[in-house]
Amino acid sequence: MIYLENIGRYFLMLKSVFSKMTKWSMLRNLIFKEIDDLIIGSMGIVCFISFFVGGVVAIQTALNINNPLIPKYLVGFATRQSVILEFAPTFISIIMAGKVGSFITSSIGTMRVTEQIDALEVMGVNSLNYLVFPKIVALALYPFVITIAMFLGVFGGWLASIYGGFSTSADFIQGLQIEFIPFHVTYAFIKTFLFSFVLATIPSFYGYYMKGGALEVGKASTTSFVWTSVVIILINYLITQLLLT
Amino acid sequence: MIEVKNIKKSFDGVEILKGISTTFDKGKTNLIIGQSGSGKTVFLKSLLGLHIPEEGAILFDGKDYKSLSSKEQRELRTEMGMVFQGSALFDSMTVSENVMFPLRMFTNQAVSEMQDRVDIVLKRVKLIDAHHKFPAETSGGMQKRVAIARAIVMNPKYLFCDEPNSGLDPKTAIVIDNLIQEITDEYNITTVINTHDMNSVMEIGEKIVFLKNGIKAWEGTNKEIFKTDNESVTDFVYSSDLFKKVREVYLKELKE
């Protein structure tokens, strides 16, 4: 029952987020701040992970090709497919659920504990719009992060293949180009856009409705990470089923 | 003036407020006192509209909060100032930005006008040098004064304070009490303070409402509280030997 109650409360929260908008001049500053915190602040870890995981995917693929009949360009092909279809949109989103999600939950949760949310409400501010809407708008830029993750993943794979002696540059690039389906990129961005909404709203939900003190803020962050990851995985499955089959 | 008519509020089937009626007059410092768990905070949050009572009515200068539209409720809230127990200042903003926040949110004033207003209220709470400090860089007493400045920056009709003295040393507590009373007189606002502090009760309690187990057990002024023979009140207020002696001396002086 508690799950159903939470799902209902989540949708009621979304309704409040989009009602009684905060003054644009205030909102604009909040959006820029959130872009800095959530998008720019995540670039370092996203770039680092993308580059090295792309490299690992290329090496693993190369090491598992023993049959001489399998073309050499497969390393580039497998790297491209893995990075664009799953690694960049889904794997990075799970990492972001930990990094950005726990940041959102703990910052809103701390505001709840220290009565800052009550202060907003008493002043007549729609606290959900003030706190959550700028995060949704800021994370609408999340597909750009994923674009960079895709590029760096493939680049990391290329570098690892060439300098590790697993493939030639020509073979790798041939693999990147062969049987390229542009819709795969569209599919990746559709799910990335949905994940960005989940990344902004589920952690906000757990932060906003938490009760208790500092310990509960920590617990809420953990719960938010778990549920954000679960919802991302489920959406990933549904979108894949709907768009690629 | 705030009129409270028989309000009842429950949480998870447990009745916290069991039908409270009282009046808080304009231009007076009204105190709500009572033991922990007596329903003071729920009562104050009900006055603020953060909890909606299941029964009864709260009238702000004749306007019933519950019967107002959500837009009217939000407008009414802009006429309220609140000083929270932990000050509830926004961590990411400086003192000046915290005080300016309601002006930026609800007025279309130019920045220079807002800054002038902020200067006036910060001067009023004797914090003119703290403009660029962040809440974490200020003391508990300073944070309370910033919270008071933020609460009065919009010229509110109603000022609510939840235990404004908690966590402060006795000297700073008196400064805060005096500041609240002076502001109440100057701005002629209806001030409601939720407190445990007996010094506040004696010094600034122009009207005192004593809550016990979710009901109003007594009400009167700080003069009347010395003379009352209501056992619940005397047990609570004069629980320390010091206050018992203060009371004896006061009553003795009164007889003489």
Side-chain angles (χ1 to χ4, degrees):
Chain A
M1 277 309 278
I2 189 80
Y3 298 124
L4 282 176
E5 192 185 320
N6 277 344
I7 291 168
R9 221 152 43 132
Y10 171 76
F11 284 104
L12 287 174
M13 179 195 86
L14 291 184
K15 191 181 158 209
S16 295
V17 167
F18 292 101
S19 63
K20 214 257 164 185
M21 298 297 276
T22 304
K23 231 170 125 178
W24 171 242
S25 58
M26 297 284 282
L27 214 48
R28 188 185 51 211
N29 294 341
L30 289 168
I31 290 168
F32 284 132
K33 190 184 168 295
E34 298 294 355
I35 289 172
D36 188 36
D37 286 342
L38 307 178
I39 300 290
I40 311 290
S42 305
M43 289 308 295
I45 187 77
V46 169
C47 291
F48 177 80
I49 293 174
S50 304
F51 182 80
F52 285 101
V53 172
V56 169
V57 168
I59 294 169
Q60 292 276 23
T61 310
L63 291 177
N64 285 287
I65 299 171
N66 297 321
N67 192 329
L69 293 176
I70 296 174
K72 290 282 180 197
Y73 64 73
L74 187 75
V75 179
F77 176 80
T79 306
R80 183 197 75 200
Q81 290 297 84
S82 311
V83 168
I84 290 179
L85 290 175
E86 284 310 317
F87 163 72
T90 312
F91 187 69
I92 290 290
S93 295
I94 298 290
I95 289 162
M96 289 287 273
K99 193 205 174 281
V100 168
S102 59
F103 170 74
I104 292 173
T105 306
S106 58
S107 58
I108 296 181
T110 305
M111 286 185 78
R112 168 66 71 198
V113 171
T114 55
E115 295 179 308
Q116 291 176 48
I117 292 177
D118 285 345
L120 286 170
E121 286 292 323
V122 168
M123 284 178 208
V125 177
N126 177 359
S127 59
L128 277 168
N129 178 264
Y130 179 84
L131 294 171
V132 185
F133 185 75
K135 290 176 175 52
I136 294 172
V137 176
L139 279 167
L141 296 176
Y142 182 56
F144 291 104
V145 176
I146 296 306
T147 308
I148 292 167
M150 285 175 180
F151 172 77
L152 284 175
V154 172
F155 181 63
W158 177 77
L159 271 184
S161 301
I162 306 306
Y163 292 99
F166 301 108
S167 168
T168 63
S169 179
D171 284 340
F172 192 90
I173 290 169
Q174 189 192 358
L176 290 183
Q177 292 171 337
I178 207 156
E179 287 180 43
F180 177 68
I181 302 167
F183 181 71
H184 283 178
V185 178
T186 311
Y187 151 81
F189 282 121
I190 288 172
K191 64 181 186 179
T192 300
F193 193 73
L194 289 171
F195 295 161
S196 75
F197 189 77
V198 169
L199 282 170
T201 53
I202 293 184
S204 297
F205 172 81
Y206 280 99
Y208 192 85
Y209 291 106
M210 65 140 299
K211 285 176 183 165
L215 185 66
E216 282 74 16
V217 174
K219 282 181 185 168
S221 297
T222 311
T223 314
S224 122
F225 170 67
V226 171
W227 281 107
T228 308
S229 307
V230 167
V231 172
I232 285 172
I233 298 291
L234 286 175
I235 288 177
N236 188 34
Y237 174 77
L238 287 172
I239 290 291
T240 307
Q241 182 75 31
L242 283 171
L243 298 182
L244 293 188
T245 58
Chain B
M1 188 174 81
I2 303 170
E3 286 171 82
V4 181
K5 292 182 175 173
N6 195 35
I7 62 165
K8 291 182 181 176
K9 178 71 190 166
S10 306
F11 292 100
D12 300 325
V14 180
E15 203 172 30
I16 307 295
L17 304 180
K18 299 169 185 169
I20 297 177
S21 300
T22 190
T23 305
F24 298 116
D25 294 324
K26 195 176 178 182
K28 281 188 178 173
T29 44
N30 302 275
L31 267 56
I32 305 165
I33 61 168
Q35 283 181 316
S36 300
S38 58
K40 297 193 301 296
T41 302
V42 176
F43 184 46
L44 192 73
K45 287 195 171 178
S46 301
L47 295 178
L48 286 160
L50 293 175
H51 295 323
I52 304 298
E54 287 102 26
E55 280 183 47
I58 301 169
L59 281 74
F60 292 86
D61 291 314
K63 286 182 276 186
D64 182 0
Y65 186 86
K66 257 205 302 201
S67 65
L68 297 175
S69 67
S70 59
K71 191 185 170 204
E72 287 169 327
Q73 284 182 352
R74 286 192 187 280
E75 279 169 5
L76 179 63
R77 280 183 179 185
T78 62
E79 296 177 346
M80 297 178 185
M82 172 72 187
V83 179
F84 284 88
Q85 190 173 357
S87 301
L89 300 177
F90 304 121
D91 303 322
S92 57
M93 297 181 194
T94 61
V95 163
S96 185
E97 287 166 344
N98 261 288
V99 178
M100 199 187 279
F101 183 86
L103 296 171
R104 288 174 64 201
M105 190 59 91
F106 298 109
T107 71
N108 292 316
Q109 293 175 8
V111 177
S112 58
E113 271 181 275
M114 289 193 275
Q115 196 58 58
D116 288 346
R117 178 70 188 145
V118 169
D119 287 345
I120 290 168
V121 290
L122 282 179
K123 203 172 169 186
R124 182 66 197 82
V125 298
K126 297 183 177 68
L127 272 180
I128 200 71
D129 298 328
H131 270 282
H132 302 296
K133 287 187 176 171
F134 282 91
E137 297 166 346
T138 58
S139 66
M142 283 167 87
Q143 286 179 15
K144 285 279 158 66
R145 283 189 279 161
V146 178
I148 292 171
R150 187 176 68 182
I152 62 170
V153 75
M154 293 277 285
N155 279 325
K157 283 184 178 175
Y158 317 99
L159 178 64
F160 300 93
C161 308
D162 189 13
E163 305 201 17
N165 296 334
S166 71
L168 300 180
D169 63 85
K171 199 175 171 184
T172 311
I174 290 168
V175 171
I176 297 294
D177 274 349
N178 292 340
L179 185 61
I180 292 170
Q181 188 163 40
E182 285 163 18
I183 284 166
T184 304
D185 295 340
E186 263 176 52
Y187 291 74
N188 193 29
I189 50 184
T190 310
T191 298
V192 182
I193 304 171
N194 196 351
T195 189
H196 274 125
D197 186 27
M198 286 309 117
N199 193 57
S200 306
V201 173
M202 306 297 180
E203 291 289 332
I204 61 166
E206 290 176 283
K207 175 166 184 180
I208 300 158
V209 175
F210 175 74
L211 299 187
K212 190 179 179 185
N213 299 328
I215 56 162
K216 184 183 77 182
W218 181 86
E219 69 179 354
T221 66
N222 54 356
K223 302 282 181 287
E224 289 164 348
I225 207 164
F226 280 110
K227 294 181 250 175
T228 183
D229 50 8
N230 183 311
E231 210 173 296
S232 304
V233 179
T234 52
D235 279 354
F236 176 71
V237 177
Y238 306 109
S239 53
S240 81
D241 288 341
L242 177 68
F243 279 109
K244 272 180 196 151
K245 279 176 189 163
V246 170
R247 186 187 190 209
E248 281 166 19
V249 170
Y250 179 83
L251 292 174
K252 202 173 155 189
E253 278 179 3
L254 211 64
K255 276 181 191 170
E256 285 166 6

